[in-house]
Amino acid sequence: MTINFVTDKVKVRVNGRVATVEMNRPEALNALDVDMIRGLVSKLKEISESDDIDVVVLTGNGRAFSAGGDIKTMLSDLDESEFYPVMDCISELIMTLYSIPKLTISAVNGAAAGLGFSLALATDHIIAENTSKLAMNFIGIGLIPDGGSHFFLEKRLGEIKAKQVIWDGKMMNAKEAFELGLIQEVAEGNLEETLDARISDWLQRPVQAMIKTKKILADMNRPQLLKILELEKQGQLNMRRTFDHQEGIRAFIEKRPAKFIGK
């Protein structure tokens, strides 16, 4: 993937030692299409090369952080030759974000659902505004989580609770997500003020020591995350072929409860 991929679906602002990476499809609640994914990879790789930036904030423009994978891609009848490149783009984004030698914060406004939630989980610290909604809701359309979510949920919750969150697929408010241990902070007031306070605190610390700890743990976990991403890719392809997935999509379009049969 080229490092200089250009798209207006991702915007970057730099203020001192802090880079804010903003997903910019507000009309689609920042749903992640291939262009946005490639744009995020490109911008994050550029930032990783900068010695002047220590903190990266990931956020969404408008009413949502990210509603998840783009529904048009989900609905399309991709064959394997088209499906694998899309999943490989997702894997590259997750690996880039997880291992970037910077401190990363997801500032969650509105919804962070599906792949959008996976993206947030790949960062070091999640701050969610009090009214935000978070969901690992792939199960509702007969799919499994991707974007490394099996890895991140197991790390944060342990195997049993991770399975419960995935299988339930329910929408959580920020307080519920915090109590589970999925996020680190709830912004009771203004999200920007809570974010600024966290950044200010970090920038007064020996950041390079913090980043070195991150790098050691990321290097240790890299083989496992790569394995999980590959398993998710193969598993997702299999799930797309099931009756339950097709029924889940039809029910979504027709705005009715799905009638799953376990096939």
Side-chain angles (χ1 to χ4, degrees):
M1 183 178 292
T2 55
I3 196 169
N4 58 349
F5 181 77
V6 177
T7 175
D8 62 1
K9 296 176 182 178
V10 179
K11 294 186 179 298
V12 176
R13 301 186 305 274
V14 177
N15 181 14
R17 296 160 62 194
V18 181
T20 299
V21 179
E22 183 181 69
M23 293 174 280
N24 186 42
R25 294 185 72 205
E27 74 288 349
L29 298 179
N30 298 314
L32 290 140
D33 64 5
V34 174
D35 280 354
M36 182 185 280
I37 292 167
R38 292 180 67 194
L40 285 166
V41 171
S42 176
K43 295 301 184 186
L44 288 169
K45 286 188 173 181
E46 287 178 17
I47 290 167
S48 73
E49 297 296 320
S50 171
D51 293 333
D52 300 323
I53 295 169
D54 291 324
V55 177
V56 178
V57 176
L58 182 64
T59 191
N61 182 16
R63 296 183 295 115
F65 179 79
S66 173
D70 185 72
I71 193 69
K72 291 179 182 176
T73 302
M74 202 183 304
L75 294 176
S76 64
D77 189 22
L78 295 178
D79 62 26
E80 289 184 29
S81 66
E82 298 171 296
F83 175 78
Y84 285 143
V86 172
M87 294 299 288
D88 287 342
C89 281
I90 292 171
S91 295
E92 184 174 15
L93 171 56
I94 295 301
M95 289 304 304
T96 301
L97 181 58
Y98 176 67
S99 59
I100 190 171
K102 314 291 177 187
L103 303 179
T104 55
I105 303 174
S106 287
V108 176
N109 55 305
L115 183 58
F117 194 12
S118 303
L119 204 59
L121 290 170
T123 60
D124 301 317
H125 195 92
I126 303 174
I127 303 173
E129 66 180 0
N130 191 42
T131 56
S132 62
K133 301 292 182 183
L134 305 102
M136 194 54 62
N137 55 352
F138 293 86
I139 196 78
I141 53 171
L143 293 178
I144 60 170
D146 51 32
S149 280
H150 290 86
F151 171 87
F152 297 120
L153 290 174
E154 192 277 333
K155 286 288 185 186
R156 288 175 184 249
L157 305 178
E159 181 180 341
I160 299 302
K161 285 186 178 179
K163 285 189 288 191
Q164 181 181 339
V165 167
I166 291 167
W167 291 348
D168 287 349
K170 74 171 189 174
M171 189 73 74
M172 294 170 279
N173 61 38
K175 183 180 179 183
E176 289 172 320
F178 174 78
E179 289 174 349
L180 263 178
L182 285 168
I183 67 175
Q184 283 92 339
E185 285 189 75
V186 179
E188 295 294 347
N190 184 277
L191 177 61
E192 285 295 324
E193 290 177 1
T194 305
L195 175 62
D196 288 345
R198 171 56 49 194
I199 292 170
S200 177
D201 174 63
W202 277 4
L203 291 181
Q204 295 174 57
R205 300 186 185 206
V207 170
Q208 292 309 311
M210 296 169 71
I211 291 172
K212 179 57 71 174
T213 288
K214 170 179 177 168
K215 179 170 171 49
I216 289 169
L217 293 172
D219 286 350
M220 178 184 72
N221 290 320
R222 181 182 179 86
Q224 184 187 4
L225 178 53
L226 285 168
K227 178 66 173 178
I228 291 289
L229 288 164
E230 186 63 27
L231 290 170
E232 288 175 346
K233 178 169 70 173
Q234 299 298 332
Q236 204 70 293
L237 181 62
N238 292 336
M239 292 307 99
R240 286 171 61 93
R241 294 168 173 162
T242 63
F243 171 90
D244 280 351
H245 172 58
Q246 299 304 321
E247 164 60 12
I249 290 294
R250 284 193 297 268
F252 178 84
I253 294 170
E254 296 166 12
K255 295 181 172 59
R256 60 170 174 82
K259 298 175 182 176
F260 296 126
I261 63 170
K263 302 291 185 183

